[in-house]
Amino acid sequence: MNSREIAKNRLVEFGIKPSLQRLAIMEYLMNHSTHPTADMIFNDLFPSMPTLSKTTVYNTLRLLAGEGAILSLSIDEKNVRYDGDISNHAHFKCKKCGCLYDLPVEGMNSIHVENKGNLLITECHLYYKGFCERCKSEIV
Amino acid sequence: MNSREIAKNRLVEFGIKPSLQRLAIMEYLMNHSTHPTADMIFNDLFPSMPTLSKTTVYNTLRLLAGEGAILSLSIDEKNVRYDGDISNHAHFKCKKCGCLYDLPVEGMNSIHVENKGNLLITECHLYYKGFCERCKSEIV
DNA sequence: CTTTGTGCAAATTCTTTGCACCAAA
DNA sequence: TTTGGTGCAAAGAATTTGCACAAAG
């Protein structure tokens, strides 16, 4: 199964009609673990889809994230980042160079929240910030 | 010790000169656990400080958060929220009404991250999203 | 005096909206 | 032919910047 088909399956699984644009964006997110912004996605797809508009990218990302087909990350306060990997994992952002990594996390589901009973929890985001290996050594 | 003095201590502790505006903003954040936006802080302080400008509020919040004297939360993708409580705790936001709570968390420090050795972690944010008690019951 | 903080107005940037056109069922 | 998707241009909103004035040591 090629990556286009995998992307299509994800869309269908979440009840989203697989238009050409949506497929391209979904496929892009599943193939790039760079946690791109809407702008990055647009710039990368535009050369091969010259009619694509930024509005469509924004619309599509909002739709996909709203349906749960992708994750929308707010770890970077400037731009929303998107992640095609919807499995449980944490994120790390370097405060110096801005690089953004996935972090595998043990026990992310086992975090105990007191008084959680009253709330219906649907999402959990775990964000770490600090300095990446390269930047860490440059701190004076 | 009154709340103004407590706020002053916090500023001094983090090496920040306690101007009148900074003191007012720091004190506001320590007395309000509402996780306000810059705009809310400005609007609430303005009546008693008519010369206060929104620029100063933004400048001050950036300074305080940068020095670690307050927390800057990105749980709400629209506006940055600020928290005068810098102790370890998680946050919850209702996706329907937008209300924002603190959540006490057991084991927040014990979350195990593999491969953390290469990184210098300085901050950890744990965000839960879902539906609050009131909104939960209104879901159809 | 000299450095630092404040505040107004303007600029910047990310994102959404209004609306017309296009495509598919 | 009706519904939904796309895309352009414009609007909107949060935050930052440039610069002049005020304050504090």
Side-chain angles (χ1 to χ4, degrees), chain B residues 17 19 21-22 51-53 55-56:
Chain B
K17 277 194 194 166
S19 74
Q21 291 83 345
R22 290 170 180 176
T51 67
L52 182 67
S53 86
T55 301
T56 297

Side-chain angles (χ1 to χ4, degrees), chain B:
Chain B
M1 192 158 62
N2 65 37
S3 69
R4 178 58 57 121
E5 286 168 29
I6 296 174
K8 182 173 178 185
N9 286 349
R10 173 78 67 88
L11 293 181
V12 172
E13 178 188 351
F14 286 88
I16 297 160
K17 277 194 194 166
S19 74
L20 214 64
Q21 291 83 345
R22 290 170 180 176
L23 272 170
I25 292 168
M26 188 72 246
E27 186 183 17
Y28 181 93
L29 280 169
M30 294 182 100
N31 288 341
H32 296 77
S33 48
T34 51
H35 312 91
T37 64
D39 203 59
M40 293 172 194
I41 298 170
F42 173 77
N43 287 319
D44 283 359
L45 291 180
F46 188 73
S48 54
M49 292 185 80
T51 67
L52 182 67
S53 86
K54 211 171 266 191
T55 301
T56 297
V57 175
Y58 276 108
N59 286 340
T60 301
L61 292 170
R62 187 147 38 105
L63 174 71
L64 298 185
E67 299 300 321
I70 62 173
L71 289 180
S72 128
L73 309 179
S74 57
I75 191 172
D76 179 4
E77 35 296 304
K78 272 259 195 284
N79 312 270
V80 180
R81 304 298 203 107
Y82 294 93
D83 194 343
D85 176 2
I86 52 178
S87 72
N88 247 328
H89 62 287
H91 293 95
F92 167 82
K93 186 184 150 228
C94 176
K95 295 201 275 190
K96 187 141 182 275
C97 71
C99 67
L100 194 45
Y101 302 138
D102 285 325
L103 284 185
V105 169
E106 268 178 31
M108 185 152 165
N109 288 315
S110 68
I111 298 166
H112 178 64
V113 182
E114 292 171 35
N115 304 321
K116 196 157 65 173
N118 303 327
L119 308 168
L120 176 58
I121 307 275
T122 58
E123 288 178 54
C124 171
H125 296 258
L126 181 54
Y127 298 138
Y128 287 96
K129 300 186 188 184
F131 299 93
C132 68
E133 187 165 20
R134 187 176 301 173
C135 291
K136 187 175 58 170
S137 58
E138 291 169 9
I139 298 174
V140 192

Side-chain angles (χ1 to χ4, degrees), chain A residues 73-93:
Chain A
L73 310 179
S74 57
I75 191 172
D76 178 4
E77 34 298 304
K78 270 259 194 287
N79 311 269
V80 180
R81 303 300 203 106
Y82 295 93
D83 194 343
D85 176 2
I86 53 178
S87 72
N88 248 327
H89 61 286
H91 293 95
F92 167 82
K93 187 182 150 231

Side-chain angles (χ1 to χ4, degrees), chain A residues 19-126:
Chain A
S19 73
L20 214 64
Q21 291 84 345
R22 290 170 181 176
L23 273 170
I25 292 168
M26 189 72 247
E27 187 183 17
Y28 182 92
L29 280 169
M30 294 182 100
N31 288 340
H32 297 76
S33 47
T34 50
H35 312 90
T37 63
D39 203 59
M40 293 171 193
I41 298 170
F42 173 77
N43 287 319
D44 284 357
L45 291 179
F46 187 73
S48 53
M49 293 186 80
T51 67
L52 182 67
S53 85
K54 209 170 269 192
T55 302
T56 297
V57 175
Y58 276 108
N59 286 340
T60 301
L61 292 169
R62 187 148 39 104
L63 174 71
L64 298 184
E67 299 300 321
I70 62 173
L71 289 180
S72 128
L73 310 179
S74 57
I75 191 172
D76 178 4
E77 34 298 304
K78 270 259 194 287
N79 311 269
V80 180
R81 303 300 203 106
Y82 295 93
D83 194 343
D85 176 2
I86 53 178
S87 72
N88 248 327
H89 61 286
H91 293 95
F92 167 82
K93 187 182 150 231
C94 177
K95 294 201 276 190
K96 187 141 181 277
C97 71
C99 68
L100 194 46
Y101 301 137
D102 285 326
L103 284 185
V105 169
E106 267 178 34
M108 183 153 167
N109 289 315
S110 69
I111 299 166
H112 178 64
V113 182
E114 292 172 37
N115 304 320
K116 196 158 63 173
N118 303 327
L119 307 169
L120 176 59
I121 307 275
T122 58
E123 288 178 54
C124 171
H125 297 259
L126 182 53

